[in-house]
Amino acid sequence: MDYYPLAYKVAGGLFSVQALFFILISVLAGTLSSMPAYLMVSMAVMSFSMAYLHPQFKQKDERMQLIRYKGLFYSFFAMLIYMFALLTLLEAGVNLTASMVIQMLIALNICTVFLSWVILSKKM
């Protein structure tokens, strides 16, 4: 029996609980921007995506290599769009620090890569 999907689901659940905790604490503190929550949500997305993709990824066939390639290709263009949007926000005078922008880009990149792999694996 393959226990990796179960381990990924447990890790995703733990990351989800941590993200909810960070969001709850930030709401109780009176601020709505909790940067660690973004990273925890992206890690939860990654874990749940890997739970779904693990049975397919352990097969080293051409289909999975094509899904990885196309997913990273689409993620590159999505990252360009994210950077353009954040640059526009910065130029508009929105109060964002460099640390916040980098954490947002990391979270968006993780989510985009893994969700594109899930979407492509369902289409192919």
Side-chain angles (χ1 to χ4, degrees):
M1 182 163 177
D2 195 8
Y3 292 106
Y4 285 111
L6 179 63
Y8 286 128
K9 288 177 186 174
V10 168
L14 291 174
F15 285 130
S16 298
V17 168
Q18 286 178 335
L20 289 174
F21 177 73
F22 284 134
I23 292 169
L24 176 69
I25 294 301
S26 68
V27 168
L28 291 176
T31 63
L32 292 177
S33 70
S34 177
M35 285 297 136
Y38 297 150
L39 293 175
M40 289 298 137
V41 168
S42 67
M43 295 299 286
V45 167
M46 180 181 72
S47 296
F48 289 129
S49 297
M50 285 306 295
Y52 176 78
L53 293 169
H54 178 74
Q56 300 170 22
F57 272 8
K58 71 179 181 179
Q59 303 167 358
K60 305 266 188 218
D61 59 352
E62 293 175 10
R63 178 180 168 267
M64 291 317 296
Q65 289 177 352
L66 183 63
I67 288 171
R68 287 180 181 147
Y69 174 75
K70 280 188 175 183
L72 291 175
F73 179 75
Y74 295 145
S75 296
F76 171 74
F77 288 106
M79 184 57 67
L80 288 176
I81 292 169
Y82 298 150
M83 286 190 285
F84 177 75
L86 286 171
L87 181 64
T88 304
L89 288 174
L90 288 171
E91 292 294 326
V94 176
N95 188 17
L96 293 173
T97 64
S99 174
M100 291 171 73
V101 170
I102 290 172
Q103 287 181 3
M104 280 191 255
L105 283 174
I106 290 170
L108 287 169
N109 192 22
I110 291 171
C111 289
T112 304
V113 167
F114 285 95
L115 290 177
S116 67
W117 284 352
V118 169
I119 291 168
L120 288 170
S121 72
K122 287 186 177 192
K123 285 186 178 182
M124 297 181 130

